[in-house]
Amino acid sequence: MEFPQRLEAPSPIKPMTCIEMHTAGEPTRIIWNGIPPLTGTLLEQRAQAKAKFDEFRRVLMLEPRGHYDMYGAILRPETELVTSGEAHIGVLFMHNEGFSTMCGHATIALGRFLVDVDEKTTTLNLHVPCGVVQVTVPTLESAKSDASRPVSFVSVPSFATAISLQVPLSEKYRWAELQGRTFVTADFAYGGAYYCMISAEELGFPGGLGEVQLQDMDHATKLLKEAVVTNPGLQYLTRDIRTPEEGFLYGIMITDTGLGHVSASEGTAAARAQLDAGSEETGLCFFANQQIDRSPTGSCVAARVALAHAKGTLPAGEKRIYNSLVTRAYRGLSGFVGSVFDDAGTSGGEKQSVRACVEGYAYYTGYHSFVVEKEDGLGVDGFSVRDIAL
């Protein structure tokens, strides 16, 4: 792939060159040049980024160069698994709050981008903070990626940590739509990051996601997340023996199994083909600091596949379509297709796990060459209007 020449700015301004893509409407800002010096294992590099270079994340994710729901990927060509030959390249993921352990939509975008840059491979092993994911990218005769066919990845071992769990809600963590209830019933699962899955009706919205109320759902999921993470008795839901980096609840996924896609007579050929792939459901994910995912959330799809398999509702060989509000609403977009790739045995102690296959489409939207002037008191750090406290 050929890119325009990097913007040459007068010293001491150092450009940060980024490739812009989206997967089902969710952005991925791939940082190509201007990355701060990070060394050691991938988790050590992630720790360095968090401790020493958080302004780098804020500059590229937040305003005035980004926005509250921006997502980014930092390419890491040198990691311990790249050195050992287990992975081709590493990556760190970042968002409005910090650095995540896994991201499915960005993995799909990175697959296309890295194949277009290399042009020598159609499969690659991507070293992410939670392990290695295997990415497959369809290509044209020219060896460029084929945008008309989905990229797929095989997840790290994924598993359910609780099914139909009653989460107690003290008065501090209750919202109006509960109508006096003191608990909700939810599922918890891991797909590279930990998620809580709860139906819209159980959350207190009987109209489901067909009558989405973003502000109220934002408030409800924020309180639910706080109720879980502040309860010592629920810490086991996000505890994994492999690495302490994974011990946090990343997002709340509101599900609606009664809400499918647009009419089968509408949409692109890809969307119509998806309708024949199997059962489907729609979800709305709030992750990190209440960031809304425009895509169906790839790592959560892996978690939902593992959860459905544990429940016995998604046998091996069967596919399920996972839509977001965006992919359901827009005919030209396709949701993610999830299925069980194989039985991964046990993971994190006694948890039965599977590896999920997740398929989706990613597209290029452009490129940026950002600069930071030291005299710019606002742009030197990055800000969010939502977080301004007067």
Side-chain angles (χ1 to χ4, degrees):
M1 171 175 289
E2 296 182 2
F3 297 105
Q5 292 294 316
R6 187 176 67 178
L7 172 65
E8 295 298 332
S11 181
I13 302 174
K14 297 181 179 180
M16 296 167 286
T17 306
C18 307
I19 310 305
E20 308 289 331
M21 301 185 72
H22 85 86
T23 310
E26 179 72 3
T28 301
R29 176 164 287 169
I30 303 171
I31 293 82
W32 180 248
N33 276 312
I35 300 170
L38 301 171
T39 59
T41 68
L42 187 63
L43 289 181
E44 289 171 346
Q45 293 179 43
R46 181 170 175 264
Q48 291 171 25
K50 292 167 65 176
K52 299 179 180 180
F53 302 106
D54 195 54
E55 74 280 0
F56 177 80
R57 174 191 66 84
R58 292 178 56 85
V59 160
L60 289 176
M61 295 295 98
L62 302 180
E63 300 178 56
R65 298 169 190 84
H67 54 81
Y68 198 78
D69 296 310
M70 177 56 70
Y71 204 93
I74 306 174
L75 296 175
R76 305 308 306 135
E78 296 182 6
T79 77
E80 72 277 19
L81 296 188
V82 173
T83 299
S84 68
E86 297 175 62
H88 295 93
I89 194 169
V91 63
L92 295 176
F93 301 117
M94 58 185 182
H95 45 68
N96 69 6
E97 186 180 44
F99 296 83
S100 56
T101 55
M102 175 56 189
C103 179
H105 91 269
T107 294
I108 290 171
L110 284 163
R112 277 201 69 194
F113 170 70
L114 291 170
V115 165
D116 285 339
V117 170
D118 191 318
E119 296 186 12
K120 295 178 182 179
T121 181
T122 59
T123 61
L124 59 101
N125 291 337
L126 189 64
H127 185 191
V128 300
C130 66
V132 175
V133 293
Q134 300 169 355
V135 189
T136 301
V137 184
T139 57
L140 302 166
E141 292 183 3
S142 63
K144 299 289 187 179
S145 64
D146 184 354
S148 69
R149 291 185 287 165
V151 175
S152 65
F153 70 87
V154 177
S155 73
V156 296
S158 304
F159 48 86
T161 58
I163 296 175
S164 298
L165 178 71
Q166 289 188 352
V167 179
L169 301 170
S170 64
E171 186 174 356
K172 179 180 180 181
Y173 299 119
R174 295 174 197 162
W175 51 95
E177 289 78 11
L178 288 173
Q179 297 184 342
R181 284 187 292 146
T182 60
F183 67 88
V184 292
T185 301
D187 300 318
F188 293 82
Y190 174 81
Y194 287 95
Y195 292 92
C196 167
M197 273 68 71
I198 184 170
S199 70
E201 294 82 357
E202 181 66 16
L203 197 64
F205 299 90
L209 292 176
E211 300 177 6
V212 65
Q213 303 172 49
L214 278 181
Q215 185 172 352
D216 294 334
M217 290 178 172
D218 182 355
H219 179 65
T221 54
K222 182 177 182 179
L223 290 176
L224 174 56
K225 187 175 183 180
E226 291 177 358
V228 173
V229 300
T230 58
N231 187 334
L234 299 181
Q235 289 183 358
Y236 73 94
L237 295 170
T238 57
R239 184 182 296 126
D240 191 271
I241 65 172
R242 291 174 299 173
T243 166
E245 291 287 333
E246 298 171 347
F248 61 92
L249 182 60
Y250 186 49
I252 306 288
M253 172 65 77
I254 306 174
T255 62
D256 189 335
T257 57
L259 198 63
H261 203 278
V262 293
S263 168
S265 63
E266 301 176 342
T268 63
R272 290 196 300 273
Q274 273 201 323
L275 293 172
D276 297 326
S279 57
E280 59 181 313
E281 61 184 64
T282 298
L284 169 61
C285 186
F286 291 87
F287 70 96
N289 188 14
Q290 293 303 105
Q291 190 164 332
I292 296 176
D293 200 334
R294 276 70 172 160
S295 83
T297 312
S299 54
C300 193
V301 166
R304 291 159 80 183
V305 166
L307 176 66
H309 189 67
K311 288 182 174 183
T313 61
L314 186 64
E318 183 176 309
K319 294 184 176 183
R320 180 166 296 172
I321 303 167
Y322 295 90
N323 285 307
S324 65
L325 294 182
V326 174
T327 65
R328 182 186 179 276
Y330 289 93
R331 297 188 304 234
L333 291 178
S334 299
F336 292 170
V337 175
S339 59
V340 174
F341 180 77
D342 66 18
D343 185 338
T346 58
S347 181
E350 300 178 352
K351 304 177 183 70
Q352 188 68 28
S353 63
V354 300
R355 291 195 302 165
C357 178
V358 182
E359 305 172 40
Y361 296 81
Y363 305 97
Y364 292 97
T365 58
Y367 79 99
H368 279 103
S369 194
F370 294 107
V371 296
V372 176
E373 292 187 285
K374 63 180 181 180
E375 296 84 3
D376 182 1
L378 185 66
V380 73
D381 181 35
F383 69 94
S384 168
V385 171
R386 285 181 54 165
D387 294 333
I388 290 177
L390 299 179

